[in-house]
PDB file of all heavy atoms in Angstrom:
ATOM      1  N   GLY Q  35     -22.395 -43.579  24.598  1.00 63.00           N
ATOM      2  CA  GLY Q  35     -23.050 -43.916  23.338  1.00 63.00           C
ATOM      3  C   GLY Q  35     -22.474 -43.452  22.017  1.00 63.00           C
ATOM      4  O   GLY Q  35     -23.064 -43.141  21.136  1.00 63.00           O
ATOM      5  N   HIS Q  36     -21.120 -43.538  22.016  1.00 58.00           N
ATOM      6  CA  HIS Q  36     -20.513 -43.112  20.788  1.00 58.00           C
ATOM      7  C   HIS Q  36     -20.609 -44.237  19.719  1.00 58.00           C
ATOM      8  O   HIS Q  36     -19.844 -45.179  19.645  1.00 58.00           O
ATOM      9  CB  HIS Q  36     -18.943 -42.942  21.106  1.00 58.00           C
ATOM     10  CG  HIS Q  36     -18.168 -42.401  20.031  1.00 58.00           C
ATOM     11  ND1 HIS Q  36     -17.692 -43.179  18.974  1.00 58.00           N
ATOM     12  CD2 HIS Q  36     -17.725 -41.181  19.726  1.00 58.00           C
ATOM     13  CE1 HIS Q  36     -17.025 -42.449  18.113  1.00 58.00           C
ATOM     14  NE2 HIS Q  36     -17.031 -41.240  18.580  1.00 58.00           N
ATOM     15  N   GLY Q  37     -21.487 -44.005  18.815  1.00 53.00           N
ATOM     16  CA  GLY Q  37     -21.533 -44.967  17.625  1.00 53.00           C
ATOM     17  C   GLY Q  37     -21.946 -46.323  17.996  1.00 53.00           C
ATOM     18  O   GLY Q  37     -21.495 -47.147  17.200  1.00 53.00           O
ATOM     19  N   ILE Q  38     -22.702 -46.622  18.868  1.00 50.00           N
ATOM     20  CA  ILE Q  38     -23.088 -48.023  19.197  1.00 50.00           C
ATOM     21  C   ILE Q  38     -24.159 -48.475  18.116  1.00 50.00           C
ATOM     22  O   ILE Q  38     -25.141 -47.814  17.853  1.00 50.00           O
ATOM     23  CB  ILE Q  38     -23.638 -48.156  20.551  1.00 50.00           C
ATOM     24  CG1 ILE Q  38     -22.625 -47.795  21.602  1.00 50.00           C
ATOM     25  CG2 ILE Q  38     -24.148 -49.495  20.817  1.00 50.00           C
ATOM     26  CD1 ILE Q  38     -23.134 -47.732  23.042  1.00 50.00           C
ATOM     27  N   GLY Q  39     -23.788 -49.525  17.564  1.00 48.00           N
ATOM     28  CA  GLY Q  39     -24.652 -50.194  16.570  1.00 48.00           C
ATOM     29  C   GLY Q  39     -25.617 -51.178  17.352  1.00 48.00           C
ATOM     30  O   GLY Q  39     -25.235 -51.803  18.389  1.00 48.00           O
ATOM     31  N   HIS Q  40     -26.826 -51.288  16.926  1.00 41.00           N
ATOM     32  CA  HIS Q  40     -27.798 -52.224  17.632  1.00 41.00           C
ATOM     33  C   HIS Q  40     -28.283 -53.330  16.711  1.00 41.00           C
ATOM     34  O   HIS Q  40     -29.470 -53.791  16.853  1.00 41.00           O
ATOM     35  CB  HIS Q  40     -29.015 -51.341  18.134  1.00 41.00           C
ATOM     36  CG  HIS Q  40     -28.572 -50.429  19.263  1.00 41.00           C
ATOM     37  ND1 HIS Q  40     -28.248 -50.854  20.505  1.00 41.00           N
ATOM     38  CD2 HIS Q  40     -28.328 -49.077  19.222  1.00 41.00           C
ATOM     39  CE1 HIS Q  40     -27.847 -49.791  21.165  1.00 41.00           C
ATOM     40  NE2 HIS Q  40     -27.969 -48.738  20.438  1.00 41.00           N
ATOM     41  N   SER Q  41     -27.383 -53.793  15.775  1.00 40.00           N
ATOM     42  CA  SER Q  41     -27.816 -54.887  14.928  1.00 40.00           C
ATOM     43  C   SER Q  41     -26.529 -55.673  14.530  1.00 40.00           C
ATOM     44  O   SER Q  41     -25.416 -55.273  15.046  1.00 40.00           O
ATOM     45  CB  SER Q  41     -28.464 -54.290  13.657  1.00 40.00           C
ATOM     46  OG  SER Q  41     -27.452 -53.828  12.789  1.00 40.00           O
ATOM     47  N   LEU Q  42     -26.684 -56.629  13.756  1.00 39.00           N
ATOM     48  CA  LEU Q  42     -25.475 -57.436  13.346  1.00 39.00           C
ATOM     49  C   LEU Q  42     -24.947 -56.769  12.114  1.00 39.00           C
ATOM     50  O   LEU Q  42     -24.050 -57.452  11.565  1.00 39.00           O
ATOM     51  CB  LEU Q  42     -25.863 -58.863  13.160  1.00 39.00           C
ATOM     52  CG  LEU Q  42     -26.248 -59.622  14.531  1.00 39.00           C
ATOM     53  CD1 LEU Q  42     -26.524 -61.062  14.222  1.00 39.00           C
ATOM     54  CD2 LEU Q  42     -25.149 -59.544  15.513  1.00 39.00           C
ATOM     55  N   ARG Q  43     -25.439 -55.706  11.684  1.00 43.00           N
ATOM     56  CA  ARG Q  43     -24.763 -55.020  10.577  1.00 43.00           C
ATOM     57  C   ARG Q  43     -23.666 -54.167  11.160  1.00 43.00           C
ATOM     58  O   ARG Q  43     -23.744 -53.654  12.153  1.00 43.00           O
ATOM     59  CB  ARG Q  43     -25.787 -54.062   9.785  1.00 43.00           C
ATOM     60  CG  ARG Q  43     -26.865 -54.917   9.014  1.00 43.00           C
ATOM     61  CD  ARG Q  43     -27.610 -54.042   8.093  1.00 43.00           C
ATOM     62  NE  ARG Q  43     -26.822 -53.367   7.217  1.00 43.00           N
ATOM     63  CZ  ARG Q  43     -26.438 -53.811   6.026  1.00 43.00           C
ATOM     64  NH1 ARG Q  43     -26.645 -55.012   5.728  1.00 43.00           N
ATOM     65  NH2 ARG Q  43     -25.702 -53.103   5.277  1.00 43.00           N
ATOM     66  N   SER Q  44     -22.562 -54.020  10.466  1.00 49.00           N
ATOM     67  CA  SER Q  44     -21.370 -53.314  10.845  1.00 49.00           C
ATOM     68  C   SER Q  44     -21.718 -51.852  11.178  1.00 49.00           C
ATOM     69  O   SER Q  44     -22.392 -51.096  10.258  1.00 49.00           O
ATOM     70  CB  SER Q  44     -20.312 -53.392   9.865  1.00 49.00           C
ATOM     71  OG  SER Q  44     -19.167 -52.660  10.222  1.00 49.00           O
ATOM     72  N   SER Q  45     -21.224 -51.266  12.170  1.00 49.00           N
ATOM     73  CA  SER Q  45     -21.341 -49.819  12.429  1.00 49.00           C
ATOM     74  C   SER Q  45     -20.008 -49.231  12.308  1.00 49.00           C
ATOM     75  O   SER Q  45     -19.800 -47.981  12.441  1.00 49.00           O
ATOM     76  CB  SER Q  45     -21.950 -49.500  13.850  1.00 49.00           C
ATOM     77  OG  SER Q  45     -21.110 -50.106  14.878  1.00 49.00           O
ATOM     78  N   THR Q  46     -18.828 -49.903  12.164  1.00 51.00           N
ATOM     79  CA  THR Q  46     -17.524 -49.370  11.971  1.00 51.00           C
ATOM     80  C   THR Q  46     -16.990 -49.912  10.693  1.00 51.00           C
ATOM     81  O   THR Q  46     -16.808 -51.045  10.575  1.00 51.00           O
ATOM     82  CB  THR Q  46     -16.663 -49.736  13.163  1.00 51.00           C
ATOM     83  OG1 THR Q  46     -17.173 -49.403  14.368  1.00 51.00           O
ATOM     84  CG2 THR Q  46     -15.188 -49.261  12.957  1.00 51.00           C
TER      85      THR Q  46
END
Side-chain angles (χ1 to χ4, degrees):
H36 184 282
I38 296 173
H40 294 286
S41 73
L42 293 181
R43 293 191 56 83
S44 176
S45 64
T46 303

